[in-house]
C-alpha cells in the first residue's frame, strides 16, 4: 500500500513538472501576444521577389540583344546578297531577233576573230550597262573531255539566245592560251564588253551545269534545256580526232637533244668512252698476238 501511494505521488509530481514546462514554453513565445507590426505588407518572400525581378531584367536584356543581333545579321546578309548580285550579274545586249527563223548556234572561230569579237568599248564602264556577252569554249579535238562537252555546249546556244557562244581550238591557236589564262581544256569563260566576268570551274560537262554557270552571271533563265542528236554532229565535233601536235613533237625533240648534249658533257660519258677505247685496244693487241 505504501509502495502504491509513493508511486502515485511520484507520477503526480512528474505530471505537474511536465505541465509547468509546457506552460512556460507557450508563455515565453514573444510573437503570441505581440501585435503584427507589418500587417500592411503582403505575404511575399522578399528574396524570391528580388530574384524574379533580376531574372526578368536579364530576360529582357537578352531578348533585346537577340533582336538587335538578328536584325543586324539580316541587314548584313541582305547587304552581302545585294553586293554579290551587283557584282555577279551582268546586263547582256540582245543579239538575236525573236522574229528571225534561224535559231542561234555555236560559231567555231579563230584567234583573230576572237580578238575582234572581244574588243572593249570605252564608253561601257560597268557590268550593269548593256553590252555584248560572249561565252567562249576553249577546246581541243584530240581531248575526250572536250568531245564529251561539245554536244551540251552546242545545245546551250538555243537556251540563251542573248549570249553569243563561240568555240576556239586551243591547239591550233595556242597563242591565245596565255592571253586568256587557259591552262587546260575544255574551259568556258564568259566575257562582258570584252572583259572576263566568269570562268566555269565545274567537273560535270553537261548542259545543266553550263546553264547554272550562265544563269549565275547573267541572271537569265534558259529557254529550255534539250540536247538533240543534231548537237552531237556539230558545230563543235563530239568525236575525238587524233591530230598530230607538231608543237608537242618539237618540244620533245628539243628535250631529247638537250639531254643528249648535257650527258655527253658529264663524267659518265667520259667513263663510257674510255671503257670502249680500252676494250678496243685489248682486242687489237690480242689479234696481233695471235698473228
Amino acid at each position: 500500500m505504501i509502495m502504491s501511494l509513493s508511486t502515485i505521488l511520484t507520477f503526480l509530481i512528474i505530471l505537474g513538472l511536465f505541465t509547468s514546462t509546457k506552460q512556460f514554453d507557450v508563455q515565453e513565445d514573444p510573437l503570441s501576444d505581440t501585435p503584427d507590426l507589418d500587417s500592411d505588407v503582403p505575404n511575399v518572400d522578399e528574396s524570391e521577389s528580388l530574384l524574379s525581378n533580376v531574372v526578368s531584367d536579364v530576360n529582357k536584356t537578352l531578348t533585346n540583344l537577340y533582336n538587335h543581333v538578328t536584325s543586324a545579321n539580316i541587314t548584313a546578309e541582305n547587304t552581302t546578297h545585294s553586293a554579290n548580285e551587283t557584282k555577279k550579274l551582268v546586263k547582256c545586249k540582245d543579239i538575236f531577233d525573236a522574229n528571225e527563223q534561224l535559231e542561234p548556234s555555236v560559231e567555231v572561230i579563230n584567234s583573230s576573230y576572237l580578238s575582234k569579237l572581244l574588243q572593249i568599248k570605252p564608253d561601257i564602264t560597268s557590268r550593269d550597262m548593256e553590252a555584248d556577252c560572249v561565252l567562249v569554249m576553249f577546246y581541243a579535238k584530240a581531248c575526250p573531255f572536250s568531245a564529251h562537252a561539245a554536244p551540251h555546249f552546242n545545245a546551250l546556244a538555243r537556251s540563251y539566245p542573248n549570249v553569243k557562244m563561240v568555240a576556239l581550238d586551243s591547239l591550233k591557236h595556242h597563242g591565245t592560251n596565255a592571253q586568256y589564262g587557259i591552262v587546260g581544256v575544255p574551259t568556258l569563260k564568259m566575257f562582258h564588253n570584252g572583259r572576263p566576268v566568269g570562268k566555269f570551274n565545274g567537273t560535270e560537262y553537261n548542259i545543266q551545269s553550263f546553264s547554272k554557270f550562265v544563269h549565275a552571271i547573267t541572271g537569265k533563265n534558259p529557254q529550255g534545256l534539250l540536247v538533240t542528236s543534231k548537237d552531237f554532229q556539230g558545230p563543235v565535233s563530239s568525236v575525238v580526232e587524233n591530230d598530230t601536235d607538231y608543237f608537242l613533237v618539237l618540244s620533245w625533240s628539243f628535250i631529247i637533244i638537250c639531254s643528249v648534249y648535257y650527258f655527253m658533257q658529264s663524267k659518265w660519258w667520259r667513263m663510257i668512252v674510255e671503257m670502249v677505247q680500252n676494250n678496243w685496244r685489248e682486242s687489237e693487241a690480242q689479234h696481233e698476238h695471235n698473228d
Side-chain angles (χ1 to χ4, degrees):
M1 188 72 181
I2 296 175
M3 293 297 294
S4 60
L5 289 175
S6 61
T7 302
I8 294 172
L9 290 174
T10 303
F11 177 77
L12 292 175
I13 292 170
I14 294 172
L15 182 62
L17 291 174
F18 178 78
T19 305
S20 62
T21 304
K22 288 291 291 182
Q23 291 176 356
F24 175 79
D25 291 338
V26 173
Q27 291 176 0
E28 286 294 323
D29 188 2
L31 299 178
S32 60
D33 297 332
T34 304
D36 190 3
L37 299 178
D38 299 329
S39 59
D40 296 335
V41 180
N43 188 17
V44 178
D45 190 355
E46 294 182 357
S47 61
E48 183 178 358
S49 177
L50 179 60
L51 181 61
S52 299
N53 293 333
V54 172
V55 172
S56 178
D57 293 338
V58 171
N59 288 333
K60 291 180 179 179
T61 303
L62 292 177
T63 302
N64 294 333
L65 181 61
Y66 173 77
N67 293 332
H68 178 71
V69 172
T70 303
S71 61
N73 289 336
I74 293 174
T75 303
E77 289 178 358
N78 291 335
T79 303
T80 304
H81 180 71
S82 300
N84 290 336
E85 289 296 329
T86 304
K87 181 179 179 181
K88 290 183 179 179
L89 297 182
V90 297
K91 191 173 183 181
C92 297
K93 182 180 179 181
D94 293 336
I95 59 176
F96 180 75
D97 189 2
N99 296 325
E100 294 181 359
Q101 298 295 330
L102 297 177
E103 62 180 11
S105 62
V106 176
E107 185 178 359
V108 180
I109 61 176
N110 53 27
S111 57
S112 59
Y113 184 75
L114 180 63
S115 300
K116 181 180 178 181
L117 193 63
L118 299 181
Q119 287 182 352
I120 298 176
K121 297 180 180 179
D123 56 333
I124 300 176
T125 58
S126 62
R127 298 187 177 191
D128 55 353
M129 298 180 67
E130 193 176 69
D132 293 335
C133 293
V134 181
L135 181 61
V136 184
M137 177 182 178
F138 299 89
Y139 74 102
K141 294 181 179 180
C143 176
F145 299 101
S146 299
H148 173 73
H152 300 274
F153 186 72
N154 293 332
L156 191 67
R158 296 191 301 271
S159 302
Y160 294 92
N162 292 334
V163 178
K164 185 173 182 59
M165 300 188 185
V166 297
L168 180 74
D169 192 340
S170 296
L171 291 181
K172 288 185 177 180
H173 309 279
H174 58 87
T176 59
N177 296 334
Q179 181 179 356
Y180 298 106
I182 306 302
V183 295
V185 290
T187 298
L188 272 68
K189 294 196 72 173
M190 177 71 77
F191 295 86
H192 175 263
N193 189 33
R195 297 184 178 94
V197 293
K199 179 180 178 181
F200 180 75
N201 294 319
T203 57
E204 296 182 359
Y205 302 110
N206 52 48
I207 191 172
Q208 288 79 13
S209 301
F210 295 163
S211 176
K212 291 180 181 179
F213 168 68
V214 177
H215 175 74
I217 297 176
T218 63
K220 300 292 185 180
N221 294 320
Q223 297 183 4
L225 297 174
L226 180 63
V227 181
T228 63
S229 58
K230 184 180 179 180
D231 296 323
F232 284 85
Q233 301 175 4
V236 184
S237 177
S238 60
V239 179
V240 178
E241 299 180 7
N242 296 323
D243 293 339
T244 302
D245 188 356
Y246 296 100
F247 292 98
L248 181 61
V249 174
L250 181 62
S251 300
W252 275 110
S253 301
F254 178 77
I255 292 174
I256 293 173
I257 292 173
C258 291
S259 300
V260 171
Y261 173 78
Y262 284 107
F263 180 73
M264 292 176 65
Q265 302 298 322
S266 65
K267 63 178 182 179
W268 299 103
W269 174 257
R270 292 194 296 268
M271 291 175 58
I272 294 173
V273 172
E274 290 177 0
M275 183 177 62
V276 172
Q277 290 177 351
N278 293 332
N279 292 333
W280 183 264
R281 293 191 188 99
E282 290 178 359
S283 62
E284 287 183 348
Q286 184 70 25
H287 181 70
E288 292 177 357
H289 178 72
N290 292 334
D291 292 343

